[in-house]
Amino acid sequence: SEGYQYHCEPFAADVSEGKYDPIYKYHPYPTKVPHKAIMRYILHYTEPGDIVLDSFCGTGMTGVAAQMCGDRKTVESLGYRVEDDGTILQEETGEDGKKRWTPFSKLGARRAILNDLSPAATFIAYNYNTPVDAAAFEKETERILDEVEKECGWMYETRHTDGRIGKINYTVWSDVFICPECAGDIVFWEVAVDKAAGKVQNEFPCPHCNTNLTKGNMERAWITRYDAINQTVRQAKQVPVKINYSVGKKRFEKQPDSYDLTLIEKIEKINIPYWFPTEILPSGDKTGEPVRVGITHTHHFYSKRNLYSLACFLNKIEHPKQNLFLTKLSYQITKLYRFTYQSGVWGAGGGPLSGTLYIPSLIKELRILKQLKNAIKSRTKISTPETSENYTGTTESATGLNQIKRNTVDYVFIDPPFGSNLNYSELAFLWESWLKIRTDNTEEAIENKSQGKGISEYRTLMTRSFRSIYKRLKPGRWITVEFSNTKASVWNSIQTSLIEAGFIVANVSVLDKQKGSYNAQTNPTSVKQDLVISAYKPNGGFEERFLKEAASEEGVWDFVRTHLGYLPVVKRQNGNIQMVPERDPRILFDQMVAYYVRKGYPVPLSSQEFQLGLAQRFSERDGMYFLPEQAAEYDKKRLSASQIVQAAIFVDDESSAIQWLRQLLQKKPQTFADINPQFMKQLSGWRKNEKPLDLRELLQQNFLLYDGKGPVPAQIHAYLSSNWKDLRNLDKEDPALIAKAKDRWYVPDPNKQADLDKLRQRSLLREFQTYKESKQRRLKLFRLEAVRAGFQKAWQENDYDAILTVARKLPPKILQEDPKLLMWYDLSLTRTGQME
């Protein structure tokens, strides 16, 4: 409406939402963000009726979240309170330390635009986000299932010990190997598995010749048979070793007997009278594993009876939404399903190994008819929207989004692909084979050797995607990017692509989905929680002003003033206030430089001039800078906090060492003898290729030492008078104060810091010059800070060749993992015409 001014701080709170909601659990798509977690972001950034875009939508959880913002019961389940007029309240702690309910959003559905490159993903998203008559849908699906049961049920029968016929729940199949000594068959389950301990033995004797064997020194046994593709195929041999079945309501287990083996043989010989997919597996990074054991086509992933039953079900369905059961089960009932030992029970847990096409040595063949019945029951627990008015879906690359007009989207939430984490088009192969449509992976934003895509290609595609999103988002509005990857290079690529597209990062928080991936649970170095990046598109007013002010110093301060308005004033954790790193003067300088450089303007201020100007124009609190009204708000909220918490710093290079020392000395100016043992304890070892610096060198180049001459510096005076009663109210030249202050290192004020920085800058640039002139093809040891300083100076002088010359001497990993270096390098490639 006319006169409406949108303003919103980034959502700075850490979010924790579980993966056990029926909606989340229903479909086994490789990655999903719980819709209840996304709701918190949508409620924060939008109003009812606003348009929310997710251009990497997967199963469509963003659409579910957008529509659920109109469901009072779901909103209140998040811990909010909803008033009768639709105002949503959240609980906050006031300046007096008391908790109270304050308004923060409005109840009402938001409108979602969901897009994905994968047809399988957009099909699943469509099912989640459009209405269906649940009772009629369930009744019709069960009728079809009864017909399938009549036709295929006999394939899942077994004989109990008293002659009664039981229904198979699952059958366990085992790999068969060949002893290298006697050539006898080795059934993996019978010989290699310690059933009591629930694990595979490292060594085990051959039952035929007693030779000591390991899984690694045996060859597979193979079978050759005529296949549905009208040719013979050679596949790894597997045999049934255990049947779990029910007679009435009781469960039993047995080894397959002659009845079972005869039945399996009979099934293998029948022709399936319905269509089923026989697509050949595409060449890919993840498809090599099944091909290695002879699984080369879609239908090879299924037992004959499960394939028959699934094809029969598909042939009988009429409602397009019933295809959702195909996509739900087409992984679950394959040879990907592992038979595992969990919590002291064989057969507990299991399932396909997430993100892979791994064929296990012990396969749990589930009875599809039972799985279909369970799927129908669990489908009834999922509520779907009452109308389709709030959802629209498209299937295309996020680099396009051609059907969405510019500046029409109110908010963006995405969980994009992260490097080589998951190869979506390969993993969607089974679903899409049944749906008869495939992903065009030309513009799939992943790292994938088979597609010829490395980290650079990934970053290029993500940059194009973010540019496309940027055009559609309204000025002044927000994008939230959920990130789940353990590689620094991928994290850096995402942030670099965001900035390259024009977004400005304002906050990074944590999203805990409460159930880690397989890698996050088993790998001790993995990141256990996802990170969430909040970034904004600068508002139109600032963009227009910047065009006039860019060449002047006023442009810098207009940028800082605008940017500070988008940053969180406080971050809270367990009653404490956390430091907001984005308000640190060095990070503010980096943001300003990046903005100027991306826009193609020279940076009008040095780091020293920037820090002096910052101190003169803005309010400083606890090493952070605020707008005047923000400083007043910070002061109030600081009173109710028990303490201020700074993020722990992992010291492994020059930059982190300086940051750690600054944090240490700001709290307490101290002597070298005091600092050294703390520093040695904190230093985890210098990063590979980083030139180690002595502590004295770090202190001399970045901090000041009070030598006892002249008045005691203000920072030391403030610390001593606060901590020693006998030193309070003393003059700065009092001998007792001077004696206590002498030989302490401290953080200089902005004026002295500027002089110190100039000296350090000259030293760094001299060092950079040696790298430029070095005859080494690859630099083995260097100061990363010198390379950063050199790149920035070379850029200001339009000396792109200097940047490219030194960049090519650095290990590629260094470039990929450093956002500043990557920015200068990418832009130099562009300016010299060496990047597409």
Side-chain angles (χ1 to χ4, degrees):
S1 62
E2 194 174 339
Y4 171 68
Q5 285 281 320
Y6 176 88
H7 177 76
C8 197
E9 278 189 16
F11 188 81
D14 294 342
V15 171
S16 178
E17 291 293 345
K19 293 183 173 184
Y20 297 100
D21 185 278
I23 292 177
Y24 185 92
K25 283 173 62 181
Y26 187 73
H27 203 282
Y29 196 78
T31 58
K32 297 189 289 291
V33 179
H35 69 281
K36 287 186 176 180
I38 305 173
M39 283 177 68
R40 295 183 184 276
Y41 294 93
I42 294 176
L43 289 169
H44 176 83
Y45 286 112
T46 67
E47 295 288 323
D50 278 358
I51 296 172
V52 178
L53 169 66
D54 185 347
S55 53
F56 297 91
C57 73
T59 57
M61 290 297 106
T62 299
V64 173
Q67 298 192 73
M68 285 287 191
C69 287
D71 185 80
R72 180 172 185 156
K73 187 177 177 182
T74 306
V75 170
E76 289 182 335
S77 75
L78 299 175
Y80 301 127
R81 181 185 291 174
V82 181
E83 301 286 86
D84 290 339
D85 66 354
T87 301
I88 300 174
L89 310 176
Q90 66 179 351
E91 195 175 38
E92 286 188 341
T93 304
E95 294 90 60
D96 55 3
K98 293 180 180 177
K99 291 187 175 180
R100 53 179 58 87
W101 292 93
T102 58
F104 93 104
S105 191
K106 276 280 188 182
L107 185 72
R110 278 63 168 168
R111 293 178 289 169
I113 301 175
L114 305 180
N115 172 76
D116 204 286
L117 189 67
S118 164
T122 51
F123 171 74
I124 299 163
Y126 157 78
N127 274 274
Y128 270 122
N129 285 278
T130 52
V132 67
D133 182 339
F137 183 78
E138 181 185 0
K139 186 177 179 181
E140 171 61 12
T141 309
E142 285 187 338
R143 182 193 64 76
I144 293 169
L145 194 55
D146 287 342
E147 290 183 17
V148 178
E149 179 77 48
K150 285 174 187 174
E151 185 170 344
C152 304
W154 63 272
M155 300 183 197
Y156 301 92
E157 292 179 348
T158 187
R159 198 184 297 278
H160 190 44
T161 50
D162 61 6
R164 286 182 295 166
I165 297 298
K167 281 289 182 185
I168 294 173
N169 300 309
Y170 64 82
T171 303
V172 181
W173 293 74
S174 171
D175 272 346
V176 180
F177 294 91
I178 295 172
C179 173
E181 288 298 317
C182 70
D185 277 7
I186 307 289
V187 178
F188 186 73
W189 168 254
E190 293 173 357
V191 178
V193 177
D194 182 338
K195 297 171 186 64
K199 63 180 182 180
V200 176
Q201 300 176 96
N202 292 327
E203 293 186 352
F204 41 88
C206 170
H208 311 295
C209 68
N210 216 34
T211 300
N212 226 23
L213 301 173
T214 65
K215 190 176 180 182
N217 70 9
M218 297 186 295
E219 292 290 326
R220 285 186 176 275
W222 295 85
I223 57 166
T224 303
R225 61 182 180 81
Y226 195 73
D227 190 59
I229 54 174
N230 296 320
Q231 64 186 54
T232 55
V233 294
R234 182 173 179 264
Q235 294 179 328
K237 184 178 179 181
Q238 290 162 335
V239 294
V241 292
K242 182 194 284 280
I243 296 174
N244 181 291
Y245 64 101
S246 296
V247 178
K249 293 185 178 180
K250 287 191 176 181
R251 278 197 174 218
F252 302 93
E253 287 192 345
K254 62 183 279 193
Q255 282 189 327
D257 55 28
S258 59
Y259 177 94
D260 303 305
L261 299 176
T262 302
L263 179 67
I264 290 169
E265 191 177 338
K266 179 182 175 182
I267 295 167
E268 288 299 318
K269 289 177 180 176
I270 61 176
N271 288 319
I272 300 174
Y274 308 109
W275 176 88
F276 56 86
T278 55
E279 295 270 322
I280 189 167
L281 263 170
S283 176
D285 286 9
K286 296 295 180 185
T287 54
E289 171 62 28
V291 169
R292 191 171 62 83
V293 294
I295 293 178
T296 55
H297 293 69
T298 308
H299 61 292
H300 293 163
F301 283 89
Y302 303 90
S303 67
K304 186 71 171 281
R305 55 190 167 194
N306 274 351
L307 183 66
Y308 191 125
S309 302
L310 200 56
C312 179
F313 178 78
L314 176 63
N315 178 259
K316 295 180 187 300
I317 63 177
E318 294 175 0
H319 197 300
K321 284 202 166 195
Q322 287 166 334
N323 278 305
L324 181 65
F325 296 120
L326 286 177
T327 63
K328 175 174 170 54
L329 296 175
S330 53
Y331 262 93
Q332 296 300 98
I333 56 148
T334 62
K335 296 177 182 179
L336 299 168
Y337 206 108
R338 297 165 296 152
F339 181 65
T340 59
Y341 183 85
Q342 191 171 300
S343 304
V345 179
W346 277 103
L353 188 59
S354 179
T356 74
L357 294 173
Y358 169 70
I359 307 294
S361 285
L362 297 173
I363 295 167
K364 185 178 181 180
E365 180 206 3
L366 299 170
R367 173 161 61 100
I368 184 176
L369 301 175
K370 182 180 179 184
Q371 299 305 309
L372 277 167
K373 283 181 181 176
N374 291 341
I376 293 166
K377 283 180 185 175
S378 56
R379 179 69 181 81
T380 60
K381 297 176 184 176
I382 299 173
S383 57
T384 51
E386 295 177 4
T387 173
S388 298
E389 291 177 5
N390 294 315
Y391 154 78
T392 187
T394 60
T395 306
E396 62 176 321
S397 168
T399 61
L401 304 180
N402 298 317
Q403 299 174 62
I404 308 172
K405 291 180 181 178
R406 287 179 176 233
N407 300 323
T408 55
V409 172
D410 296 290
Y411 173 59
V412 177
F413 184 99
I414 59 171
D415 174 19
F418 296 105
S420 59
N421 243 25
L422 288 164
N423 290 270
Y424 287 92
S425 61
E426 294 178 21
L427 297 172
F429 168 75
L430 287 177
W431 295 322
E432 293 177 356
S433 294
W434 286 97
L435 295 173
K436 301 181 183 179
I437 187 167
R438 291 285 303 282
T439 298
D440 177 358
N441 63 17
T442 310
E443 300 216 316
E444 185 179 18
I446 58 172
E447 286 181 82
N448 184 292
K449 290 178 184 175
S450 305
Q451 294 182 27
K453 293 172 184 172
I455 190 72
S456 297
E457 288 76 17
Y458 167 73
R459 188 168 64 253
T460 299
L461 283 162
M462 284 309 305
T463 302
R464 287 175 56 204
S465 297
F466 282 131
R467 280 180 178 151
S468 178
I469 293 167
Y470 186 89
K471 290 174 187 174
R472 275 79 195 169
L473 188 64
K474 290 177 180 177
R477 299 296 183 127
W478 291 88
I479 179 174
T480 298
V481 184
E482 193 268 348
F483 176 88
S484 51
N485 188 292
T486 56
K487 288 171 69 175
S489 58
V490 177
W491 169 249
N492 190 35
S493 286
I494 285 286
Q495 293 196 90
T496 301
S497 296
L498 263 173
I499 296 164
E500 180 77 42
F503 288 106
I504 300 174
V505 176
N507 183 63
V508 178
S509 296
V510 167
L511 173 65
D512 181 4
K513 294 191 284 198
Q514 293 186 356
K515 183 184 178 187
S517 66
Y518 174 79
N519 186 54
Q521 288 175 329
T522 58
N523 183 350
T525 63
S526 291
V527 177
K528 297 291 191 294
Q529 296 166 319
D530 294 358
L531 298 174
V532 175
I533 307 170
S534 298
Y536 64 90
K537 177 178 179 176
N539 64 53
F542 168 70
E543 296 269 74
E544 288 170 19
R545 293 196 308 274
F546 186 77
L547 292 174
K548 300 171 187 172
E549 303 168 344
S552 69
E553 189 179 327
E554 185 48 42
V556 171
W557 304 120
D558 194 0
F559 171 84
V560 174
R561 203 172 293 112
T562 303
H563 183 56
L564 288 174
Y566 280 94
L567 299 181
V569 174
V570 293
K571 287 186 180 183
R572 287 187 179 274
Q573 187 181 49
N574 302 326
N576 299 322
I577 284 183
Q578 291 179 292
M579 295 291 287
V580 180
E582 292 82 8
R583 292 186 177 276
D584 182 282
R586 287 150 299 167
I587 291 177
L588 287 170
F589 178 72
D590 289 342
Q591 287 279 27
M592 182 274 294
V593 169
Y595 188 78
Y596 266 80
V597 169
R598 301 288 183 197
K599 292 288 185 183
Y601 292 103
V603 180
L605 292 178
S606 68
S607 173
Q608 298 82 17
E609 292 165 334
F610 179 82
Q611 300 227 18
L612 283 169
L614 199 63
Q616 291 163 4
R617 289 170 174 80
F618 301 97
S619 306
E620 186 270 335
R621 299 287 189 277
D622 300 317
M624 301 178 286
Y625 282 89
F626 298 86
L627 299 174
E629 63 274 18
Q630 291 177 329
E633 183 185 346
Y634 179 81
D635 289 340
K636 283 182 183 177
K637 292 189 174 177
R638 194 176 185 275
L639 291 173
S640 65
S642 48
Q643 61 176 321
I644 298 168
V645 179
Q646 289 182 311
I649 297 170
F650 188 73
V651 178
D652 63 353
D653 64 1
E654 182 177 351
S655 175
S656 55
I658 294 168
Q659 197 180 348
W660 181 83
L661 286 167
R662 182 179 295 275
Q663 205 176 86
L664 181 80
L665 296 177
Q666 268 176 337
K667 286 182 186 173
K668 178 184 176 182
Q670 46 198 298
T671 66
F672 178 84
D674 293 328
I675 299 166
N676 193 46
Q678 298 175 75
F679 180 73
M680 297 311 292
K681 185 180 178 183
Q682 194 69 25
L683 184 65
S684 58
W686 292 94
R687 193 185 297 179
K688 186 182 178 184
N689 303 117
E690 178 80 14
K691 186 177 178 181
L693 290 184
D694 180 73
L695 176 59
R696 289 186 190 280
E697 201 173 349
L698 286 165
L699 290 167
Q700 286 163 3
Q701 289 189 11
N702 300 280
F703 303 94
L704 293 176
L705 177 71
Y706 176 59
D707 58 4
K709 296 173 183 173
V712 173
Q715 192 207 345
I716 302 180
H717 179 260
Y719 168 72
L720 293 177
S721 60
S722 299
N723 289 276
W724 276 269
K725 288 181 181 178
D726 56 330
L727 297 179
R728 283 175 193 166
N729 303 317
L730 295 182
D731 186 80
K732 287 186 180 179
E733 297 193 44
D734 186 283
L737 191 68
I738 289 173
K740 193 75 172 173
K742 190 172 182 294
D743 294 330
R744 288 178 186 263
W745 289 93
Y746 65 100
V747 178
D749 64 37
N751 289 296
K752 290 179 180 173
Q753 181 72 54
D755 294 335
L756 205 58
D757 284 349
K758 283 178 188 173
L759 291 171
R760 180 169 181 266
Q761 187 78 352
R762 282 202 287 269
S763 167
L764 292 172
L765 291 175
R766 280 197 301 271
E767 186 98 15
F768 179 78
Q769 191 63 28
T770 66
Y771 304 155
K772 186 178 161 188
E773 294 168 359
S774 171
K775 302 297 181 190
Q776 285 182 289
R777 193 177 66 84
R778 188 76 79 197
L779 295 171
K780 291 187 174 63
L781 213 57
F782 46 85
R783 283 177 74 179
L784 210 49
E785 288 291 285
V787 179
R788 289 176 186 137
F791 275 21
Q792 184 166 342
K793 185 75 161 47
W795 176 264
Q796 289 167 347
E797 296 171 352
N798 300 326
D799 188 359
Y800 311 123
D801 286 337
I803 293 171
L804 296 176
T805 297
V806 175
R808 286 170 184 140
K809 294 177 184 178
L810 299 175
K813 189 178 177 185
I814 297 294
L815 271 182
Q816 300 295 351
E817 294 186 359
D818 191 290
K820 294 179 188 174
L821 299 187
L822 193 59
M823 177 180 74
W824 303 124
Y825 175 67
D826 276 356
L827 289 170
S828 296
L829 285 174
T830 303
R831 290 291 171 90
T832 56
Q834 297 179 53
M835 179 179 274
E836 292 181 8

